[in-house]
Amino acid sequence: LDDLWRGRREWLPTGIPLYQTDLREPGSVRRTVSKVSADVVVHLAALHFIPEVDGAPELAWQVNVEGTKNLLQSLSESPPTVVLFASSAAVYADRSGPITEECPVAPLDLYGRTKLMGEDLVSRFGTETGAGCLIARLFNVIGKRETNPHVVPEIVEQLRNGTARLRLGNLHTTRDYTDVVDVAEALKRLLQGRSDDRT
């Protein structure tokens, strides 16, 4: 499912069906889910670019929280075996040093709050339906087909344009970046691990 606001049909491998659906529309989501008997659901949809989230808080809430709720309600009639929810490092408090899963959650911004709410919805869904639920807190995913003006694509673009001096903005912030290929592999392994647990 994709509303194609950021994604593109041509990015899908041949033979993969695409259902153009907006998660904010419960009826549309329900109709689409009823067409597909999903055993595994990977929920990646979110408004995540912070300036967009801050500039349209109501839209961010509709997509990130209400959209998740709509999807889960549609799945509740025939729950999948596994739901994997892509959350974010933004659920953690700001801190220096490494962040582990044991660190307390304390989101600093609206985006982090919406993802934490999504985690809660998915956890409750698992409890109520018996579906296995996985939550992956992703950190700054970058890679090919980036659709938001983040720092790494900006650096690449400046270098392509032959700049002699990079303009980077805030130099006091530190980030760990994760390539989208590695994220896809990690999510795949999470799902395989869940599958192995069932056998």
Side-chain angles (χ1 to χ4, degrees):
L1 283 69
D2 198 320
D3 65 2
L4 298 182
W5 183 53
R6 292 277 189 190
R8 301 288 177 267
R9 186 179 298 271
E10 59 268 22
W11 292 348
L12 287 174
T14 304
I16 301 295
L18 172 67
Y19 299 91
Q20 192 167 342
T21 305
D22 188 333
L23 286 182
R24 296 173 298 163
E25 299 172 3
S28 177
V29 176
R30 193 166 43 254
R31 285 189 298 276
T32 303
V33 167
S34 70
K35 293 177 191 174
V36 181
S37 181
D39 185 46
V40 174
V41 173
V42 180
H43 178 22
L44 302 171
L47 189 66
H48 75 280
F49 184 51
I50 300 304
E52 285 181 350
V53 170
D54 292 343
E58 194 171 304
L59 176 62
W61 187 265
Q62 290 169 357
V63 172
N64 297 1
V65 179
E66 296 301 322
T68 298
K69 192 180 298 182
N70 291 339
L71 177 63
L72 295 173
Q73 285 174 346
S74 297
L75 292 170
S76 65
E77 296 168 19
S78 180
T81 304
V82 179
V83 174
L84 192 160
F85 177 67
S87 186
S88 168
V91 301
Y92 294 111
D94 189 20
R95 57 175 285 145
S96 60
I99 296 175
T100 68
E101 290 177 347
E102 288 75 35
C103 290
V105 293
L108 295 175
D109 58 18
L110 175 61
Y111 173 63
R113 290 192 297 276
T114 66
K115 296 310 281 186
L116 191 58
M117 178 65 76
E119 289 186 14
D120 184 56
L121 291 168
V122 169
S123 295
R124 275 191 275 153
F125 176 80
T127 300
E128 292 167 4
T129 66
C133 292
L134 299 167
I135 294 168
R137 292 178 177 160
L138 308 178
F139 286 59
N140 300 299
V141 180
I142 60 170
K144 188 176 178 184
R145 298 181 181 142
E146 173 60 65
T147 57
N148 292 309
H150 292 304
V151 68
V152 173
E154 176 61 27
I155 291 170
V156 170
E157 187 62 27
Q158 287 184 40
L159 292 172
R160 281 186 177 151
N161 290 331
T163 187
R165 177 178 289 183
L166 291 174
R167 283 185 241 122
L168 299 176
N170 181 356
L171 298 177
H172 302 290
T173 302
T174 58
R175 293 281 185 269
D176 288 324
Y177 292 99
T178 312
D179 190 273
V180 67
V181 174
D182 294 328
V183 170
E185 181 62 25
L187 297 181
K188 180 177 154 188
R189 289 184 185 196
L190 277 172
L191 291 169
Q192 286 173 337
R194 175 63 71 165
S195 176
D196 293 344
D197 288 346
R198 293 197 311 265
T199 58

